[in-house]
């Protein structure tokens, strides 16, 4: 089963994505902040990250850069 991490600060979008992906059979973890998403990436090891670009603590581009750098 594929693992998907959703990093989205808007609760309604985050919940909608989480419910839809779980209904399709994916294992899903969610975060509402970039820093939390970065920590979850290490422990959850997702196959795919759905990333909002406008987060309250780190912009999505910075989260993406850090994920790429940390491999």
């Amino acid at each position: 089963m594929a693992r998907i991490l959703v990093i989205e600060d808007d609760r309604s979008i985050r919940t909608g994505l989480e419910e839809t992906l779980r209904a399709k059979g994916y294992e899903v973890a969610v975060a509402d902040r970039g820093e939390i998403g970065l920590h979850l990436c290490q422990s959850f090891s997702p196959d795919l990250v759905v990333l909002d670009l406008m987060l309250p603590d780190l912009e999505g581009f910075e989260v993406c850069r850090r994920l790429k750098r940390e491999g």
Side-chain angles (χ1 to χ4, degrees), residues 7 33-35 37-38 51-55 57-70:
I7 307 173
R33 303 254 190 259
E35 288 290 344
L38 289 170
L51 177 61
D52 182 7
L53 294 179
M54 298 190 57
L55 296 166
D57 59 342
L58 291 173
E59 69 171 16
F61 290 115
E62 180 60 25
V63 173
C64 188
R65 278 190 283 275
R66 290 186 190 186
L67 289 174
K68 285 177 67 175
R69 184 173 50 227
E70 294 172 10

Side-chain angles (χ1 to χ4, degrees), residues 1-6 21 25-29 40-50:
M1 173 183 334
R3 295 173 159 214
I4 300 176
L5 172 60
V6 176
L21 293 168
Y26 296 103
E27 188 174 345
V28 181
L40 274 173
C41 257
Q42 294 173 347
S43 61
F44 184 65
S45 300
D47 299 299
L48 175 71
V49 176
V50 178

